[in-house]
Amino acid sequence: MITELKSIGDIYTKMPSSDDARRFLEDLIWADGRVCPHCGGLCSTELKGASHRSGLYQCNECRGQFTITTKTPMHATKLDLRVWLAAIYTVLNSSKGVSSVVLARMIGTTQKCAWKLGHAIREMMREDYGSNALLSGIVEVDETSVGGAPKFKKGKKNKRGKGTKKTPVMVAVARGGEARAAVLPGISSSDFEPLIRGWVAGDATMMTDGSSCYNFITSAFPVHHRVIHSKKQFAIPATGAHVNTAEGFGAFIERARVGVYHRITGYHTQRYLDELTWRWNRREPVEEIRTDKKGRTSPHIRWKPLPVVQMMRFLLKSAPGREMRRSENYGLRWPAAALLGG
Ligand SMILES: [Zn+2]
């Protein structure tokens, strides 16, 4: 069992053949036992012998045949599975994502191939938040916008936020916990409410800015603190009210857009948001003591990404049932169930 991968080269050293990579994927995805992707059956037999390719199994219940990649985003791939692992390794090791151009250079494929791999990996990063994954404790909610014209260009100052062509995005972050982000269908309260109610536990302490769109929160949650930015109010020490964590997550999204993807538009926006949320939620707190210029020390929490094999395990657990196919026009298509979050 491979528990550590230090570089892309390490993948090829520790897995001298594509078969080794397949076994590694089996260890990660079927850690709790082999599951038939056709019927969910737990009882299957390996098909051995020269007439079968290695890693082929037959379900004892539905008699269907399958491999580790069946009905995953790697379905029917012709690529060496080590290339998949190299792509996953690269994407998981970058803090804000990688463009397909850079990914292609790192793993030695064409840009088109890397683009598809990137989307397949992002498909696995789409999280299904079950009902027991509600944000709780202190939850900051903020609205941000992604894309659109840069703030300054050729001496012209462009408008920010609402009323521009940017995509409105809703962000919720539990302090010291997970984040959620979604493209808003609109910017009125009726667009906000179902999202927030679907993300946040009913007993959470809510923190927002002064926007009237958040008025429903006051009656829907036991505690609602606001900071009124227009009154130059950014934090209220007495109540601990601020939305700096949510704004920090918003800034993290914006840095990824500017630094990595340049343009995040239209229907791909939610996929990029899912990738960034996934990254944010796969970090662990490291307590450190910081020393300032005057030699004073203070405790500080630094968020460190999880070790890469652990992240791979998280990622690949979401692979079964997320089949992704090539469309006729050389793009991608998702079988309907995947699009509906099934
Ligand atoms: Zn079956």
Side-chain angles (χ1 to χ4, degrees), residues 25 48 316:
L25 286 174
K48 288 180 179 156
L316 289 157

Side-chain angles (χ1 to χ4, degrees), residues 195-209:
L195 271 179
I196 293 171
R197 284 181 185 270
W199 284 341
V200 186
D203 58 356
T205 297
M206 301 294 280
M207 310 268 176
T208 68
D209 64 23

Side-chain angles (χ1 to χ4, degrees), residues 35-43 58-64 66:
V35 182
C36 167
H38 305 295
C39 73
L42 299 172
C43 214
Q58 182 162 40
C59 177
N60 295 352
E61 286 162 48
C62 73
R63 311 304 298 165
F66 61 91

Side-chain angles (χ1 to χ4, degrees), residues 35-246:
V35 182
C36 167
H38 305 295
C39 73
L42 299 172
C43 214
S44 53
T45 316
E46 184 168 8
L47 295 172
K48 288 180 179 156
S51 57
H52 301 296
R53 63 204 153 108
S54 51
L56 187 65
Y57 303 90
Q58 182 162 40
C59 177
N60 295 352
E61 286 162 48
C62 73
R63 311 304 298 165
Q65 295 187 352
F66 61 91
T67 70
I68 189 64
T69 58
T70 303
K71 293 196 174 172
T72 73
M74 297 171 275
H75 190 97
T77 185
K78 290 186 181 66
L79 280 176
D80 187 320
L81 291 175
R82 289 172 298 174
V83 177
W84 276 92
L85 287 174
I88 292 171
Y89 179 92
T90 309
V91 170
L92 294 185
N93 259 313
S94 69
S95 58
K96 290 179 284 231
V98 227
S99 71
S100 56
V101 176
V102 173
L103 183 60
R105 220 176 281 150
M106 303 286 288
I107 62 173
T109 65
T110 62
Q111 183 263 331
K112 246 178 187 167
C113 175
W115 182 83
K116 273 185 231 151
L117 286 168
H119 276 290
I121 294 166
R122 231 164 269 132
E123 174 61 27
M124 294 187 256
M125 286 176 153
R126 180 172 55 78
E127 301 202 73
D128 285 330
Y129 305 118
S131 51
N132 33 3
L134 292 173
L135 301 179
S136 58
I138 299 174
V139 178
E140 300 177 23
V141 170
D142 196 27
E143 189 218 332
T144 182
S145 40
V146 175
K151 213 161 132 195
F152 297 100
K153 199 176 184 187
K154 291 177 187 158
K156 191 172 137 231
K157 191 173 184 293
N158 284 306
K159 258 186 80 177
R160 303 182 62 185
K162 285 178 192 171
T164 62
K165 277 185 180 166
K166 297 182 176 199
T167 310
V169 169
M170 181 96 259
V171 166
V173 186
R175 272 190 209 163
E178 294 199 346
R180 305 282 183 266
V183 173
L184 277 164
I187 50 166
S188 71
S189 173
S190 59
D191 299 306
F192 287 30
E193 198 171 336
L195 271 179
I196 293 171
R197 284 181 185 270
W199 284 341
V200 186
D203 58 356
T205 297
M206 301 294 280
M207 310 268 176
T208 68
D209 64 23
S211 164
S212 60
C213 292
Y214 300 123
N215 287 353
F216 77 92
I217 288 179
T218 313
S219 52
F221 293 89
V223 187
H224 180 200
H225 293 300
R226 289 171 181 266
V227 278
I228 319 290
H229 289 171
S230 60
K231 289 187 188 162
K232 298 255 184 309
Q233 208 175 56
F234 295 98
I236 304 167
T239 57
H242 68 78
V243 288
N244 298 348
T245 324

